[in-house]
Amino acid sequence: MRYRTYGEPDYAALQSLDLTLQRHLEPAFDALPEREREGRLHTSLPALKFYERSEHSFVAEDDTGLHGFVQAQHVWQGDRPIVLVRTVSLAPDAPDGTADGLFQAVIKSAYDSAVYEIHLPVTPILFTKAREEGTVSPGSYGICHLGSRTDTAPGRRLTVTLGAPD
């Protein structure tokens, strides 16, 4: 498996992979309201162009094509930079270790640019590698959608037990 930054020649393959993944995760994806479908996709043209320039976004590929991608960016917090991972997306048949390799590519790019803090949603596909890298969790990671996406956005709603402090 090769991990590399992506460019405009990869856009169509990235969009196709993203759509395939969304349909795999939600079989009724095509029946969702248009706004929700757009909100779940990570590969709009503006997003692809933005993350292409980030120097922290990568694809995983082999001779058969793309198997996944990670989108991440530098974020300045006023006192230090971080790399913020937006998503790690894998093809349903991605080889074992693909997510780990994508995360490792982000770690290397962050370190090479003198950024020593990576923030990421610890999803099931990243959990093992994140634990191996010594990732700490200061609490639950949540996304507050404003407007109509509140009703249809993916993920678990915070509950009293999940949202309660430790």
Side-chain angles (χ1 to χ4, degrees), residues 29-43:
F29 179 80
D30 292 321
L32 292 171
E34 181 178 353
R35 186 176 190 158
E36 182 59 30
R37 289 190 314 268
E38 289 173 0
R40 291 187 187 196
L41 292 169
H42 304 288
T43 54

Side-chain angles (χ1 to χ4, degrees), residues 92-150:
D93 61 349
D96 289 343
T98 303
D100 293 358
L102 287 166
F103 187 38
Q104 196 63 48
V106 172
I107 290 170
K108 182 177 180 347
S109 71
Y111 191 83
D112 288 351
S113 62
V115 177
Y116 304 110
E117 197 170 315
I118 299 170
H119 290 230
L120 67 146
V122 183
T123 59
I125 64 172
L126 287 178
F127 182 83
T128 300
K129 184 63 175 175
R131 184 180 62 213
E132 288 172 6
E133 292 295 332
T135 301
V136 298
S137 177
S140 298
Y141 179 91
I143 300 170
C144 180
H145 292 279
L146 306 177
S148 62
R149 284 209 61 220
T150 300

Side-chain angles (χ1 to χ4, degrees), residues 54-131:
S54 77
E55 300 179 11
H56 299 293
S57 298
F58 300 91
V59 294
E61 71 175 353
D62 64 14
D63 294 337
T64 65
L66 297 182
H67 293 283
F69 63 92
V70 59
Q71 292 173 322
Q73 63 174 312
H74 270 99
V75 176
W76 177 250
Q77 299 190 126
D79 60 350
R80 69 184 177 277
I82 67 168
V83 169
L84 176 64
V85 175
R86 174 187 182 187
T87 188
V88 176
S89 296
L90 300 179
D93 61 349
D96 289 343
T98 303
D100 293 358
L102 287 166
F103 187 38
Q104 196 63 48
V106 172
I107 290 170
K108 182 177 180 347
S109 71
Y111 191 83
D112 288 351
S113 62
V115 177
Y116 304 110
E117 197 170 315
I118 299 170
H119 290 230
L120 67 146
V122 183
T123 59
I125 64 172
L126 287 178
F127 182 83
T128 300
K129 184 63 175 175
R131 184 180 62 213

